[in-house]
Amino acid sequence: MKAVLRFDYATVGHVTVDVLPDGSRRAGGAAFYSALQAARLGLRTLILTRGVAAEIEELLAPHSHELELRVLPSEHTTTLLTSGAGAQRSQRVLAWGGPIDDDLDLDSSILHLAPVARETPTRWSGHSEFVGLTPQGLLRQWPGEDREIELAAPPPASERLADNCNALVLSEHERANCATLIARALSAGALVAVTDGAAPNTVLLPSGDVLDLHVPAIDDPRDDLGAGDVFAAAFFVALADGQAPSDAAHFATAAAAVRMRGEGAGGAVGSREEIQARLRAVSR
């Protein structure tokens, strides 16, 4: 019998080993950064991933008191050689953990589908009150190991995920490849948030209305790795809490700013109090 997992927030996607230019290794992936943000907002949070359990558990050991972890076994953990920042970031696939099976039984108030390398299942069972999707990993393709990642339109089977989502978050440089995904999401009644660095965020509404929302400047940004994933988690949590789309986007923007003002995940993914303090500071 398959286990039923009951959480406030569950992410499904690969926790990655990010190898930085100096050779250091850190935990990465949307499933990790988004889950950590949700946990620091006070939610009981699960990461469901695939890889080498001992390797992932060691990477996430500093956060074991904050996060629940389920690792489906694989010969490899997805490993990415990462350089650059923002839209100029490049990544090479050194190892891939394989697909996450379709026979998942998940029970979580918020379910966040968070692929990094086309691993996310296209169907699942269980109960979720809110489903969010960050489709970046659906767009990624690479000719083989130790090859740079390129972006392309997601496979048709993956585009069906949009039919069951309440919200999508993607970046402006992913938008062209997500045209069909965005159209399907809006037709199904979902919101779509498009981030663009320091440029205004765009929120597309199912009604056809478009919100262009100012992004306050960040003094001394230090590290943007995972900032988009932090934005997504905060956006999904705020929407699930009943906040208006514009308020949810401002809250998420503040969460991303807190992330970017620090380095690494440990002290740089903010609590609810730190995010609210950022909101108050920029409103003044």
Side-chain angles (χ1 to χ4, degrees), residues 131-205:
V131 179
L133 170 64
T134 45
Q136 180 186 55
L138 303 180
L139 313 181
R140 290 175 162 180
Q141 60 181 6
W142 59 99
E145 290 186 3
D146 200 19
R147 300 298 298 270
E148 188 165 335
I149 289 173
E150 301 170 351
L151 297 185
S158 296
E159 290 180 333
R160 292 199 296 270
L161 290 170
D163 300 339
N164 299 309
C165 289
N166 299 91
L168 273 64
V169 173
L170 59 142
S171 68
E172 181 62 36
H173 80 278
E174 297 160 355
R175 187 171 182 172
N177 286 314
C178 287
T180 301
L181 199 70
I182 290 170
R184 293 184 72 146
L186 293 172
S187 294
L191 301 173
V192 179
V194 184
T195 63
D196 192 14
N201 293 322
T202 302
V203 178
L204 309 177
L205 305 180

Side-chain angles (χ1 to χ4, degrees), residues 167-251:
L168 273 64
V169 173
L170 59 142
S171 68
E172 181 62 36
H173 80 278
E174 297 160 355
R175 187 171 182 172
N177 286 314
C178 287
T180 301
L181 199 70
I182 290 170
R184 293 184 72 146
L186 293 172
S187 294
L191 301 173
V192 179
V194 184
T195 63
D196 192 14
N201 293 322
T202 302
V203 178
L204 309 177
L205 305 180
S207 64
D209 292 335
V210 177
L211 307 177
D212 290 315
L213 303 173
H214 174 66
V215 173
I218 302 172
D219 296 331
D220 190 28
R222 304 173 70 182
D223 182 6
D224 72 342
L225 197 59
D229 308 320
V230 162
F231 177 101
F235 187 63
F236 295 156
V237 170
L239 289 174
D241 283 346
Q243 291 192 29
S246 59
D247 293 335
H250 288 311
F251 181 75

